Amino acid sequence: MTLLFSPLTLRSRTFRNRLWVSPMCMYSAVEGVPQSWHRTHLAQFASGGAGLIVAEATAVTPEGRISPRDTGLWTDEQRDVWAEIVSDIHARGGMIGIQLAHAGRKASTWWPWAEEQGSVPADQGGWQTVAPSAVPFEGFAPTEALDAAGIDRIVAGFADATRRAVDAGFDALEVHGAHGYLLHQFLSPLSNVRSDEYGGSLQNRARLLLRIVETVREIAGPDLPVLVRLSATDYAEGGFVPEEAAEVGRWAIEHGADLVDVSSGGTIAHPKVQLRPGYQVPFAEIVRAGGRVPTGAVGLITSAAQAEEVLASGAADAVFAGREWLRDPHFALRAAHELGAEVDWPPQYLRARWR
């Protein structure tokens, strides 16, 4: 038995292995509704043996979308299409979660392959963005600071989206507090210069995230796993740091989360990052040890042996991968083959199991 292919139980869900699919935006939705692309894209990972598939950053309000092509969960139509996708995943023996998100000051942007870049103008379908403070992201349109009523509306948006996610049958929920989006914007001193109860101290900067985690847990009930994705560092002087992420991770667990999915960056436009295999794994280890919480590690993890070593080292309890799943939607089956792990294969693929 390998660590990578040992099951992991969070609350009422037991995931068949610890090689999971990171949420990855497809920028292919229409009015927040997932399309046939999403259905095929996500279902293939279940056939490929993923332990958990986390669907892309899904906006809890229209204004929370990163781009006009992002998926959403603010309407029943969106919920119903997501439910069909969940059913597809379950039919293939997989489990699926969804990342609930609000992009804050990084909303209303063009999708990556658009001819234009930066913020989408209002006359082309863009909208006014909101943030903890009126500090725009470099190169993006001005943003507005949220007042108390606006913050309450954000919490209500997460609550409504959680209800729809539960109704759609998702196996896990992830609160997106990373990559420079709204909840990370509150956590980082670089984007949060408020002087009220949501700014200043780490406890104040984490207040909105923890309110939302508590709300999601209350609505999800006692059985459904809740994950929180954090960026452990801003890669900038005066920004959010791993030791703070460990503390916030511990608070998140105390407020009802079950695992911290540790990533990095997103607050500044041009961070100096030394990309290398597993470059974010040390952050997961710091959060796991410092916060004494279960973690997921991510970041250029591309092989079975590498993923196994992440778990063996004690850095994390699960391994997320992104690009490698895009290159090979059957990454888990290949990894099991390479490690000699006994796993269930789809009967249609059995001929490839050993030879």
Side-chain angles (χ1 to χ4, degrees):
M1 174 66 72
T2 66
L3 291 172
L4 192 62
F5 288 95
S6 63
L8 177 62
T9 298
L10 299 176
R11 297 194 181 249
S12 69
R13 301 301 198 272
T14 296
F15 304 101
R16 59 187 173 182
N17 62 56
R18 301 173 186 234
L19 184 54
W20 296 357
V21 180
S22 285
M24 293 176 281
C25 290
M26 294 290 103
Y27 303 103
S28 300
V30 178
E31 298 297 328
V33 178
Q35 302 296 298
S36 60
W37 174 271
H38 299 88
R39 194 163 186 164
T40 303
H41 164 70
L42 293 167
Q44 65 185 341
F45 301 134
S47 300
L52 173 65
I53 304 154
V54 182
E56 65 191 80
T58 297
V60 300
T61 66
E63 298 78 20
R65 291 172 294 169
I66 302 168
S67 82
R69 293 190 174 186
D70 280 29
T71 56
L73 252 180
W74 67 83
T75 72
D76 290 349
E77 180 188 4
Q78 295 160 354
R79 176 203 61 197
D80 293 345
V81 176
W82 278 121
E84 295 174 359
I85 293 172
V86 171
S87 180
D88 283 351
I89 301 298
H90 289 167
R92 289 162 174 77
M95 287 188 170
I96 181 169
I98 191 165
Q99 187 181 65
L100 304 177
H102 192 296
R105 68 179 187 170
K106 292 176 74 174
S108 188
T109 62
W110 295 103
W111 47 97
W113 57 87
E115 292 183 4
E116 303 88 343
Q117 289 296 296
S119 298
V120 179
D123 61 1
Q124 297 184 59
W127 56 89
Q128 176 62 57
T129 66
V130 295
S133 305
V135 180
F137 187 75
E138 183 181 340
F140 287 9
T143 191
E144 292 183 351
L146 285 161
D147 59 15
I151 289 174
D152 288 345
R153 286 193 295 272
I154 298 293
V155 176
F158 274 90
D160 290 343
T162 299
R163 292 187 186 94
R164 291 190 173 94
V166 171
D167 290 345
F170 283 99
D171 299 294
L173 308 175
E174 180 168 270
V175 176
H176 198 355
H179 301 164
Y181 298 121
L182 183 65
L183 301 185
H184 183 191
Q185 291 162 27
F186 271 87
L187 289 171
S188 175
L190 300 178
S191 47
N192 182 351
V193 295
R194 300 174 72 99
S195 58
D196 63 1
E197 67 270 29
Y198 288 95
S201 70
L202 178 62
Q203 188 171 25
N204 282 356
R205 287 182 276 121
R207 190 179 304 275
L208 179 56
L209 172 70
L210 299 179
R211 276 188 67 184
I212 288 170
V213 170
E214 195 169 64
T215 297
V216 170
R217 166 54 61 210
E218 181 179 356
I219 295 169
D223 296 332
L224 200 63
V226 173
L227 318 180
V228 175
R229 175 163 269 200
L230 294 179
S231 278
T233 178
D234 289 333
Y235 297 107
E237 184 176 353
F240 197 59
V241 297
E243 292 73 22
E244 290 181 312
E247 189 77 352
V248 173
R250 181 174 65 82
W251 292 339
I253 297 294
E254 291 172 354
H255 281 72
D258 300 295
L259 182 142
V260 182
D261 174 7
V262 184
S263 188
S264 66
T267 299
I268 62 174
H270 304 289
K272 294 181 179 179
V273 185
Q274 294 183 344
L275 294 177
R276 61 188 184 279
Y279 72 102
Q280 295 178 134
V281 172
F283 300 136
E285 186 172 17
I286 291 171
V287 172
R288 189 173 191 260
R292 298 178 298 282
V293 300
T295 62
V298 68
L300 296 184
I301 298 171
T302 60
S303 73
Q306 182 191 12
E308 179 75 8
E309 175 56 29
V310 169
L311 300 178
S313 71
D317 301 88
V319 173
F320 285 89
R323 292 173 177 85
E324 193 60 24
W325 282 105
L326 298 183
R327 287 186 283 263
D328 180 3
H330 306 106
F331 182 25
L333 297 182
R334 171 165 57 85
H337 179 76
E338 291 174 0
L339 295 174
E342 292 281 351
V343 300
D344 291 332
W345 281 56
Q348 298 91 335
Y349 293 171
L350 281 175
R351 73 191 72 178
R353 185 174 184 177
W354 299 120
R355 296 183 181 180

